[in-house]
Amino acid sequence: MTTHKNLLGGPDPTLLPENEEAHRLLGEESKSPAEVAAAHPTFSLAWAMLADDAFEAGRVIESYAYARTGYHRGLDALRRAGWKGHGPIPWEHRGNRGFLRCLAALARAAGEIGEQDEYERCWQFLKDSSEEAYAELKR
């Protein structure tokens, strides 16, 4: 992966650690996102998958709750990785995708329940963090 240095002196991109075990459980062992979230509660990708599944099934409040859980677990991980509240969180890095997907899922669910401020704030946060994620996830 190539990261580009911010010429304006902003923070370096934050790269969250990858959880190979959780990815293996989802892939090779075909465990459900709920099983993976239970075994690895800090793994935001499992929460994002749960949020997406609930949203697609019309369970918006459940989707909101899953997305918010994964979002907060992701914020905790970002802070542990040195993130100071702003700066790039590249979509290209697999370890970041769960958090970014949770952020998009939270925005989507917030919009559905009429939380307009949160809807706008989350989409802006996603865009500020990763233009690529924003383009991919705001459909």
Side-chain angles (χ1 to χ4, degrees), residues 21-40:
E21 173 65 10
H23 279 287
R24 187 185 66 72
L25 290 173
L26 284 173
E28 293 173 24
E29 294 198 21
S30 300
K31 297 290 185 184
S32 72
E35 291 172 303
V36 176
H40 298 276

Side-chain angles (χ1 to χ4, degrees), residues 14-16 78 89-91 93-101:
T14 301
L15 305 178
L16 292 174
L78 284 166
I89 305 168
W91 173 251
H93 179 66
R94 183 173 82 157
N96 291 348
R97 288 193 174 197
F99 169 75
L100 295 168
R101 283 183 54 183

Side-chain angles (χ1 to χ4, degrees), residues 49-127:
M49 294 170 77
L50 288 165
D52 289 346
D53 291 347
F55 192 85
E56 289 171 14
R59 300 185 320 268
V60 176
I61 297 300
E62 192 177 317
S63 176
Y64 182 89
Y66 286 136
R68 182 160 286 289
T69 299
Y71 166 78
H72 281 287
R73 298 311 294 254
L75 285 176
D76 292 343
L78 284 166
R79 289 181 187 114
R80 281 191 304 276
W83 185 74
K84 302 292 186 209
H86 68 285
I89 305 168
W91 173 251
E92 307 83 47
H93 179 66
R94 183 173 82 157
N96 291 348
R97 288 193 174 197
F99 169 75
L100 295 168
R101 283 183 54 183
C102 281
L103 184 53
L106 184 57
R108 179 187 61 214
E112 286 293 313
I113 64 172
E115 287 284 338
Q116 190 64 27
D117 288 345
E118 184 172 35
Y119 169 84
E120 292 171 9
R121 178 184 56 80
C122 288
W123 282 125
Q124 188 62 53
F125 183 9
L126 182 64
K127 188 175 186 180

